[in-house]
Amino acid sequence: MNGVWDWFRDGDHWRGDTGVPHLLYQHSLLTVVSVLVAVAVGLPLALWLGHRGRGGVLAVNLTNVGRAVPIVALLSLLALGPLGTDPFGPFGRSGEATLVTLALFALPPIVTNTYTGMVEVDRDVVEAARGMGMSEATLLRRVELPLAAPLIIAGLRLAVVQVWATATIAALVAGPGLGRIITHGYAANQTAEVVAGSLIVAAVALALELIFVAIQRWASPLSVGGR
Amino acid sequence: MAPPLDNCLTRNEWICGRYYSTRASELTDALQQHVEIVLISVLLGLVIAAPLALLARRYRKLEGLIVGTTTAIYTIPSLALFSLLVPWTGLGRRTVVIGLALYSLTILVRNMIEGLRAVPADVREAALGMGYGRGRLLWRVELPLALPTIMAGLRVATVSTVALTTVGAILDYGGLGQLIVDGTTTTFHAQVLAATVLVVALAVVLDLLLVGVQRVLTPWTRRRTTSAEAVVPG
């Protein structure tokens, strides 16, 4: 454990392209961008499907497929195949393949939760809103979306935490991000480095989880103390 | 001088019959290791999850702690969890198996608690009234009724474990994941694709097997159209 402390105190580990700040920035950027891409694609789709009350099979199967396909395999196939391992802007080596893989893994929780949230909105409330003469767009925006918000945010939380974790695994095959500290540690047989890298990744994952718990509390004042 | 070899291996094609015929043993060895890791991890997970679920049910105060802790473990990225275990469990098979078992706990414990909770109170009272002791009540009445939910959790845990095992490659013990990672490093297309297909196929086969087991164990649920949904963290 002393070795881990020494690793954190070594200034070399905080500078340059393989330093903690740069990798942390890269890892965060990857997480944010890929979740945003998944939201841009998945949220409208799921809102529309949920509003129409169709596509439940898609929502469920997406989750099952996502669970069965290993991240390592998908990233490898994309990196060796169409997208290549070239560095991509600020995203580092295999940037494109990593971004696409992460966005794909962020899709299932977003689509499934949004769809479920929309479908579970009380039908009576929806009918009442229609009876009041709300247009479909207003109904979606003013009634369904706010009522589905807690589940949508729960999906977003799953997506963010999952992508953060997945981005770590990316380093195992070809990817950028904080996982590189861990893989480098293994390659150099430095247990202290491996543990230090893991601590950073795990600490941020837990912090993200806690932040989202707070957001969820804030977004659903009605459910405080309810569960 | 002999002419340069020209076949699907040297052309590095994605689908290559020569690869399957010459390296079949590599693939089957990796598959066997993969199956072993998955089975041992999930069984270990079950063995740990069962007493935890019973404890959580017996002592309400412990429920929050047990569910909270297993969920917190689930949050830790797998690569990091494996690595954090290394100082205690060493490099190799043990670390991978323990890590995977810890992950399966979240889903298994939750589903066990939910399944047992869903047993109707009057059924329980009727059994107690008939003179069932606690052990027999659990084994003969509660467990069978909770089985669909527990099996739903077991299916999710097994499928996730098949996929997660590939990450064990960091410890040189990742079953088919090893072939994927090595194949990516050496850009060996046929190997990466073959191993990937096998991983996904393994997940599907094990899932179908568990569905079959569940049908045999709970014949009374066959006529129902909806099956129990797994309780997944989130």
Side-chain angles (χ1 to χ4, degrees), chain A residues 93-147:
Chain A
R93 59 178 184 160
S94 308
E96 274 176 289
T98 311
L99 266 184
V100 172
T101 307
L102 296 180
L104 285 175
F105 273 92
L107 265 183
I110 290 170
V111 169
T112 308
N113 276 42
T114 305
Y115 176 80
T116 313
M118 291 292 286
V119 171
E120 281 182 0
V121 171
D122 196 335
R123 285 300 105 188
D124 291 345
V125 174
V126 174
E127 286 313 311
R130 283 214 176 95
M132 285 168 64
M134 274 194 190
S135 69
E136 292 299 301
T138 317
L139 171 70
L140 180 73
R141 197 161 45 84
R142 300 282 303 273
V143 179
E144 290 179 307
L145 200 55
L147 287 173

Side-chain angles (χ1 to χ4, degrees), chain B:
Chain B
M1 206 175 90
L5 284 171
D6 182 44
N7 58 45
C8 61
L9 274 179
T10 55
R11 284 195 302 271
N12 200 9
E13 284 173 9
W14 287 95
I15 299 170
C16 173
R18 201 182 180 87
Y19 167 71
Y20 310 132
S21 57
T22 56
R23 315 274 183 101
S25 64
E26 260 179 43
L27 282 169
T28 49
D29 286 352
L31 179 64
Q32 193 192 338
Q33 190 188 55
H34 208 106
V35 173
E36 278 170 20
I37 297 172
V38 171
L39 293 185
I40 299 173
S41 311
V42 174
L43 279 178
L44 184 64
L46 274 177
V47 169
I48 303 172
L52 284 179
L54 290 176
L55 265 179
R57 191 174 71 135
R58 192 79 177 269
Y59 306 101
R60 270 292 147 84
K61 280 184 184 161
L62 280 181
E63 186 184 329
L65 183 71
I66 290 172
V67 172
T69 309
T70 52
T71 310
I73 295 173
Y74 200 77
T75 314
I76 303 172
S78 47
L79 196 58
L81 182 67
F82 287 163
S83 314
L84 289 174
L85 287 172
V86 166
W88 288 277
T89 54
L91 294 165
R93 173 179 169 141
R94 214 180 342 160
T95 305
V96 176
V97 167
I98 292 176
L100 292 172
L102 285 175
Y103 275 120
S104 70
L105 279 187
T106 323
I107 297 161
L108 293 175
V109 169
R110 272 175 192 244
N111 280 271
M112 284 177 182
I113 294 176
E114 284 306 319
L116 290 174
R117 181 176 290 150
V119 174
D122 38 359
V123 172
R124 203 174 282 139
E125 308 232 324
L128 286 173
M130 285 169 68
Y132 275 57
R134 276 203 174 272
R136 208 149 76 99
L137 173 69
L138 177 68
W139 191 246
R140 301 293 300 272
V141 177
E142 292 176 313
L143 193 61
L145 286 174
L147 209 55
T149 310
I150 295 176
M151 288 300 288
L154 186 60
R155 284 175 58 194
V156 172
T158 306
V159 171
S160 322
T161 306
V162 171
L164 264 183
T165 298
T166 54
V167 180
I170 189 79
L171 293 163
D172 293 328
Y173 203 78
L176 292 159
Q178 207 70 53
L179 295 182
I180 297 174
V181 171
D182 294 345
T184 308
T185 317
T186 56
T187 60
F188 192 168
H189 291 165
Q191 180 172 309
V192 172
L193 186 61
T196 303
V197 170
L198 282 177
V199 175
V200 176
L202 180 62
V204 173
V205 168
L206 289 180
D207 194 44
L208 290 176
L209 269 177
L210 285 174
V211 172
V213 169
Q214 189 186 340
R215 287 200 168 197
V216 173
L217 289 179
T218 59
W220 62 90
T221 59
R222 260 179 239 171
R223 254 165 286 138
R224 260 184 259 159
T225 45
T226 51
S227 61
E229 278 285 317
V231 189
V232 180

